[in-house]
Every structure is written in structure tokens, then in C-alpha cells.
């Protein structure tokens, strides 16, 4: 029976009856058919209860796998004595339905980062689908002060908290209007084997910021137990108090949850940011003074005590730094510009580099391109000759009025595999327009084109995913805008335009002298 229990550790959950049958099969294979007689059912149940104690053999499959992967012997623990010395990051689906654009209900992913020394939740982001760029943006948010928002209580300001506000303000002027959430620069980040965290982009972001990247072993959640427990606290202390709470599995989900007044994604993100500031002032059971174990400290109080000895060095990220955190690819610069996923980008600043070699032999003389998967309007080319970045705009940008990301573009490419770049741009614009108007166009009922469920979900997630970086939007070159408007003007029919008669300037002193 021990062998049957060991085999069930990785399989789906079965009942005790199956384990008794499997035990009989193992005995027949080892000793011959009918050589060993099984005891009574009561004896088998008593034996199973004794051998499977603490293994969840007939319980939750996820818990059973976790217990099977747990190492033998006592657990070790790496101590952290300074803020940022050891931080952990993870991502999980949030147990709340949110309302995306066009009223589409959906669950979102929560990605967070915690500092082990102070138990501070330094940053957390909500996205419809987590990408590697979201993890990189989380690094930028943890080294940036959280600004106070309109409507927040003044008690949440850093100046009203246990943090050493005056001393930090003398070092970093960004703290003047900051909320009570400490700014922590990571030294080492522990992540799991998720593709978001082990991606080339996230590793490059850690290398750029000088952060040690430390992935845990496969199926070893206990190696980053602090962030696992923190995400569970978000579910019990934050998520379950929201409308649209679904529970952490199907058995705990209520009926018609999608009909509740759901939160929009952006509003829920602001509510989560406010809750994090409140969490920072909540006493934590893991933050106790060894000399006075009866007292619990809050994350802000622990940070205030440790920063006195560890110190604080501000890290202000520029626009070029945010570009460095974006995903990178390598492309050739052709005569027509740069092409990424059937989209062509070009600019006059690219003229000296056209059809030239970058000089990076390890990349076959290709050029490094950084892009935002949530904003396809522009890309950035690293100038390997002179340094800096060159911004390139999409040549078909004038065809699409609403911003969108690669999710909508890839969905349209799968729908129209043989379409040209212009046809794909028009199809994406039509998809976003129809999604904005509703499930059908508001014209003639006979010409209504209904959206599929997949189309609505893609459009909703596209509109709910703003650009990843806070880089100020730049205007496309004037000549390209003029060409696009000129092309549209040539196709439009000629109309008689009325003469514009300007209104006279109103002078109140002159009007007062008039006789009416």
C-alpha cells in the first residue's frame, strides 16, 4: 500500500477503493496471482489512514504535490538585515472579476514584490495578462515613490507616517508628496520558474539595474514563501471585501458573480495602491523585536529602524532608463525602415543607418530594437554608433485612431493570415470601433456585423492595457501626418466649403457708448 500511495502523489485524486485495488495488483505482480490475501475492508481503511497521514492521498491534488516536493529535514532560512537585501516576486490570478471595456467581465493577474527584511509590499500591478514587461515595470515602481492621489486621507501621507520623512526628503526631493510606502532598491530578487520571470527581457532589466537574479528550483514554492503568503493576504484582507469576489476555486464561487457591480481595472489598481499604503502601517506577526517578542512592528516601523543603519540612496529613472526596461529584439535596418511582426517603422533620423551594419558581431551586425507590447505606435532603435535612442513611428499609424497593443494585432493576423499591413491596420481599427459601439453597428440592421466572444475579449483587454512606460508621447513627424491627411483628402469627395466670416472683437467700452 505504501507503493500505491507513492504512485498517487503525482496523479489525479482517487478514492480509497482504487488504492485497495492497486495494492492488490502490486501484490500479484511481486508475489504471484492469489499468493497474498488482502485483509478485511476495515483493516485496509485503518492501514490507509495510518500510512497516508499528512499526505492528502485522497484530498487536494495540489496540496499533495506540494507536500511530496517538500524536502526532508528542517527548513533553512536566509536572514535579511537591510531593506532590499532580499526581495521576492510572484504573480497569481486575482480572485476578483473586473469589468473591462465594453462591459466584458474577466479575471486579471496580480504581480507583486515584497521586501523580506521589512515585509513591505513595495509594488503591485494588475494586468489582464501578465507579460515580462509588467515584471520589469514592477522594478521601476519599487524604486519610485508612490504619489498621493486625490481623495486619499492625509493620514496615508509619508509625512504623517512612522517613516523618517524629513531625513528622506533632504536626500530625495521626490518624497515631498509621496504616500507612506517606502522606496526600496532591490539587491537580490528571488522568483519562480514562470516564463514571465525567467524571460530574457526580465533578466536584462535586472542586469541593467544591477540586481542579482536568483530563480528558485522547479516546484519549490517554499523557497519564496514570503511572497506566497503575501499574495494570500491580498486575497483575505483585500480581495474578498470587493464586489465580484470569486473565491480561490470553483467550489467557493457564488452564482451570477459577473452580474455584480464590478470594478473597472484602472479603478481597482488605484484601490489596491491605497490598500498597500494602509498595509504598511499594519502590525506584522513576522516583525517582532527579539528583546521584546510581545510587540509587533509594522513594515514602515521596521523600515525606519533598518534604514538608520543601512542608509538610502535614491535611484531616479529617466526616460531612457524606462526604454531599457522594455523587451528587446534585433532587426536589420532596411531601405524602408524596420519591420516587426509585419509592421513597418521609419523616421528621417534613420537615414544614416539604412542598410548599415551595427558592429555588434555577437548579433550578426543587427540593430537592437526595444518595443512596448501594449503600444505598437512606436519603437526605439539603439544607435550603436553615436549612442542614445532613435524613436521610430509606425507608418500606418494614421489609419488607427485608438491606441492598441500586440494582442489585438496578433488576433487580427490570425483572422486574416494573407492580409497586407494596410489591411491589417484597417481591420484592427474596425475591431476597436465596433467594440466601442457595442456588439453590433448602429447602422442598418441588415448590415450589422456582430462581434464574436473572442473579438470582444481581445478588444476589452486591449483598451484596459495602457502603455507600460510613463514616457511622454511624442508626435509623429509632420511630413508623415501630412502625407496621411493628404491621402485621405484625395480619396474624399470634393465639397463646396462656405466662406468663413470672422467675428469682430468685443470691446465693452465701445459697446457702452452705443445707442440702441
Amino acid at each position: 500500500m505504501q507503493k500505491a500511495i507513492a504512485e498517487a502523489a503525482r496523479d489525479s485524486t482517487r478514492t480509497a477503493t482504487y488504492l485497495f485495488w492497486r495494492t492488490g495488483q502490486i501484490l500479484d505482480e511481486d508475489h504471484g496471482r492469489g499468493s497474498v490475501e488482502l485483509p478485511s475492508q476495515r483493516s485496509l481503511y485503518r492501514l490507509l489512514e495510518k500510512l497516508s497521514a499528512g499526505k492528502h492521498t485522497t484530498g487536494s491534488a495540489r496540496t499533495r504535490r506540494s507536500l511530496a516536493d517538500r524536502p526532508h529535514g528542517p527548513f533553512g532560512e536566509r536572514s535579511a538585515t537591510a531593506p532590499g537585501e532580499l526581495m521576492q516576486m510572484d504573480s497569481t490570478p486575482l480572485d476578483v472579476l473586473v469589468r473591462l471595456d465594453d462591459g466584458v467581465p474577466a479575471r486579471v493577474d496580480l504581480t507583486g514584490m515584497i521586501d523580506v527584511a521589512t515585509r513591505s509590499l513595495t509594488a503591485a500591478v494588475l494586468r489582464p495578462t501578465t507579460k515580462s514587461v509588467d515584471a520589469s515595470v514592477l522594478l521601476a515602481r519599487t524604486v519610485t515613490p508612490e504619489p498621493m492621489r486625490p481623495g486619499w486621507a492625509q493620514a496615508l501621507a509619508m509625512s504623517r507616517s512612522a517613516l523618517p520623512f524629513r531625513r528622506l526628503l533632504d536626500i530625495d526631493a521626490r518624497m515631498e508628496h509621496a504616500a507612506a510606502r517606502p522606496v526600496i532598491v532591490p539587491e537580490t530578487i528571488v522568483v519562480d520558474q514562470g516564463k514571465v520571470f525567467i524571460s530574457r527581457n526580465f533578466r536584462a532589466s535586472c542586469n541593467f539595474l544591477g540586481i542579482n537574479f536568483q530563480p528558485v528550483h522547479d516546484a519549490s514554492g517554499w523557497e519564496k514563501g514570503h511572497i506566497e503568503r503575501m499574495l494570500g493576504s491580498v486575497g483575505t484582507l483585500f480581495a474578498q471585501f470587493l464586489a465580484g469576489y470569486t473565491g480561490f476555486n470553483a467550489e467557493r464561487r457564488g452564482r451570477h458573480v459577473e452580474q455584480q457591480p464590478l470594478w473597472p481595472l484602472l479603478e481597482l489598481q488605484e484601490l489596491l495602491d491605497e490598500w498597500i499604503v494602509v498595509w504598511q502601517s499594519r502590525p506584522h506577526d513576522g516583525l517582532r523585536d527579539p528583546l521584546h517578542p510581545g510587540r509587533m512592528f509594522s513594515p514602515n516601523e521596521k523600515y525606519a529602524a533598518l534604514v538608520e543603519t543601512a542608509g538610502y540612496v535614491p535611484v531616479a529613472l529617466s526616460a531612457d532608463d524606462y526604454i531599457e526596461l522594455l523587451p528587446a529584439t534585433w532587426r536589420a535596418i532596411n531601405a524602408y525602415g524596420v519591420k516587426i511582426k509585419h509592421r513597418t517603422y521609419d523616421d528621417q533620423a534613420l537615414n544614416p543607418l539604412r542598410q548599415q551594419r551595427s558592429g555588434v558581431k555577437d548579433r550578426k551586425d543587427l540593430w537592437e530594437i526595444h518595443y512596448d507590447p501594449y503600444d505598437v505606435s512606436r519603437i526605439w532603435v539603439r544607435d550603436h554608433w553615436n549612442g542614445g535612442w532613435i524613436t521610430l513611428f509606425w507608418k500606418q499609424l494614421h489609419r488607427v485612431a485608438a491606441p492598441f497593443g500586440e494582442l489585438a494585432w496578433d488576433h487580427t493576423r490570425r483572422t486574416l493570415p494573407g492580409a497586407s499591413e494596410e489591411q491589417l491596420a484597417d481591420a484592427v481599427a474596425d475591431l476597436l470601433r465596433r467594440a466601442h459601439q457595442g456588439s453590433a453597428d448602429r447602422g442598418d440592421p441588415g448590415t450589422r456585423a456582430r462581434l464574436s466572444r473572442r473579438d470582444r475579449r481581445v478588444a476589452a483587454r486591449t483598451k484596459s492595457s495602457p502603455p507600460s512606460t510613463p514616457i511622454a508621447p511624442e508626435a509623429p513627424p509632420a511630413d508623415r501626418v501630412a502625407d496621411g491627411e493628404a491621402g485621405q483628402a484625395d480619396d474624399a469627395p470634393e465639397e463646396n466649403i462656405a466662406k468663413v466670416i470672422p467675428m469682430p472683437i468685443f470691446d465693452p467700452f465701445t459697446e457702452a457708448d452705443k445707442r440702441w
Side-chain angles (χ1 to χ4, degrees):
M1 184 173 289
Q2 288 180 339
K3 187 176 181 180
I5 294 174
E7 293 177 352
R10 305 290 180 182
D11 295 340
S12 301
T13 301
R14 292 183 171 91
T15 62
T17 304
Y18 169 82
L19 295 174
F20 299 156
W21 171 81
R22 179 57 185 155
T23 301
Q25 273 197 335
I26 295 174
L27 292 175
D28 291 342
E29 293 173 358
D30 295 344
H31 304 282
R33 186 176 183 83
S35 300
V36 180
E37 183 179 357
L38 291 177
S40 63
Q41 289 286 334
R42 290 186 178 182
S43 299
L44 288 175
Y45 274 110
R46 287 195 298 268
L47 181 61
L48 176 62
E49 183 181 1
K50 183 178 181 179
L51 296 179
S52 63
K55 298 182 179 179
H56 284 256
T57 304
T58 57
S60 171
R62 182 175 61 178
T63 304
R64 184 170 61 253
R65 288 193 299 268
S66 178
L67 293 174
D69 292 332
R70 188 172 60 183
H72 301 286
F75 286 94
E77 183 179 0
R78 178 182 173 183
S79 60
T81 58
E85 180 181 353
L86 183 63
M87 305 188 72
Q88 297 177 1
M89 182 187 297
D90 197 9
S91 179
T92 185
L94 186 67
D95 301 328
V96 176
L97 283 180
V98 301
R99 177 171 55 83
L100 304 180
D101 281 19
D102 199 21
V104 176
R107 292 182 65 180
V108 294
D109 291 341
L110 166 65
T111 306
M113 180 186 298
I114 189 174
D115 176 52
V116 175
T118 64
R119 302 300 197 274
S120 296
L121 185 60
T122 56
V125 294
L126 298 174
R127 286 290 188 178
T129 303
T130 304
K131 299 179 181 294
S132 61
V133 65
D134 299 324
S136 300
V137 170
L138 203 65
L139 299 178
R141 292 195 61 176
T142 192
V143 299
T144 304
E146 183 71 32
M148 288 289 293
R149 313 287 175 81
W152 286 14
Q154 286 299 318
L156 301 180
M158 183 178 292
S159 58
R160 305 286 185 89
S161 67
L163 298 173
F165 172 70
R166 292 298 178 186
R167 299 185 62 181
L168 292 176
L169 183 62
D170 294 339
I171 302 174
D172 192 349
R174 300 176 300 170
M175 302 292 187
E176 183 176 1
H177 303 289
R181 191 211 72 187
V183 177
I184 299 178
V185 181
E187 295 182 10
T188 302
I189 290 183
V190 179
V191 297
D192 58 17
Q193 295 290 332
K195 63 178 182 180
V196 172
F197 302 114
I198 64 174
S199 63
R200 183 186 307 170
N201 172 47
F202 184 69
R203 289 172 179 266
S205 299
C206 292
N207 184 42
F208 171 72
L209 296 176
I211 301 173
N212 298 323
F213 178 79
Q214 182 178 335
V216 302
H217 299 87
D218 192 16
S220 302
W222 61 86
E223 295 183 358
K224 53 179 183 61
H226 295 288
I227 186 61
E228 297 279 356
R229 186 65 185 91
M230 182 64 232
L231 295 179
S233 298
V234 173
T236 57
L237 301 178
F238 173 74
Q240 70 171 344
F241 295 94
L242 299 173
Y245 178 67
T246 61
F248 59 84
N249 56 29
E251 295 180 355
R252 298 175 179 266
R253 182 169 180 171
R255 299 185 60 185
H256 308 301
V257 180
E258 64 279 356
Q259 297 179 6
Q260 298 181 7
L262 306 179
W263 284 85
L265 179 58
L266 297 181
E267 294 183 14
L268 185 60
Q269 177 68 63
E270 291 192 2
L271 190 64
L272 176 62
D273 294 338
E274 184 178 3
W275 178 85
I276 291 175
V277 179
V278 177
W279 160 271
Q280 290 296 128
S281 300
R282 180 178 182 269
H284 196 286
D285 187 59
L287 300 176
R288 293 182 181 271
D289 188 354
L291 300 180
H292 304 85
R295 179 187 176 184
M296 296 185 298
F297 292 89
S298 68
N300 280 349
E301 292 174 340
K302 188 67 173 181
Y303 176 85
L306 294 182
V307 77
E308 294 291 338
T309 57
Y312 170 74
V313 178
V315 177
L317 299 180
S318 63
D320 290 346
D321 295 333
Y322 279 100
I323 295 176
E324 291 280 0
L325 300 179
L326 293 175
T329 184
W330 295 79
R331 293 289 190 274
I333 299 180
N334 300 296
Y336 53 82
V338 177
K339 179 169 288 189
I340 298 178
K341 290 189 176 182
H342 293 271
R343 298 187 304 270
T344 306
Y345 298 84
D346 198 7
D347 191 83
Q348 292 183 356
L350 209 62
N351 290 340
L353 309 180
R354 298 183 191 275
Q355 297 180 328
Q356 300 295 324
R357 298 177 180 270
S358 65
V360 183
K361 300 300 180 181
D362 295 340
R363 293 291 182 173
K364 300 180 180 179
D365 286 319
L366 298 178
W367 297 83
E368 184 178 356
I369 312 293
H370 284 221
Y371 63 95
D372 188 350
Y374 295 111
D375 184 12
V376 302
S377 63
R378 52 182 173 167
I379 62 174
W380 294 267
V381 179
R382 186 189 297 275
D383 190 349
H384 295 283
W385 293 357
N386 304 316
W389 297 93
I390 301 176
T391 304
L392 306 183
F393 288 91
W394 185 29
K395 297 181 68 173
Q396 306 301 328
L397 185 59
H398 62 278
R399 294 179 175 268
V400 186
F404 67 95
E406 290 189 345
L407 178 63
W409 181 263
D410 295 339
H411 172 71
T412 306
R413 281 187 60 192
R414 288 191 296 266
T415 307
L416 305 172
S420 62
E421 182 178 358
E422 293 80 3
Q423 293 173 340
L424 290 174
D426 294 338
V428 172
D430 181 67
L431 172 64
L432 299 179
R433 177 183 58 82
R434 289 187 290 134
H436 175 72
Q437 294 179 352
S439 60
D441 290 340
R442 302 183 185 271
D444 185 6
T447 61
R448 290 183 177 181
R450 295 189 175 274
L451 291 170
S452 64
R453 177 179 296 183
R454 175 65 177 170
D455 291 340
R456 292 185 62 204
R457 187 182 300 111
V458 169
R461 290 185 175 183
T462 298
K463 294 181 179 180
S464 300
S465 301
S468 302
T469 57
I471 304 174
E474 304 174 19
D479 55 348
R480 184 175 305 161
V481 176
D483 294 342
E485 295 177 352
Q488 295 177 358
D490 294 341
D491 298 337
E494 296 183 359
E495 298 180 359
N496 295 327
I497 302 177
K499 182 180 179 181
V500 178
I501 302 177
M503 295 290 294
I505 299 176
F506 178 76
D507 189 352
F509 301 100
T510 305
E511 293 291 330
D513 296 336
K514 287 184 179 180
R515 297 181 60 184
W516 298 94

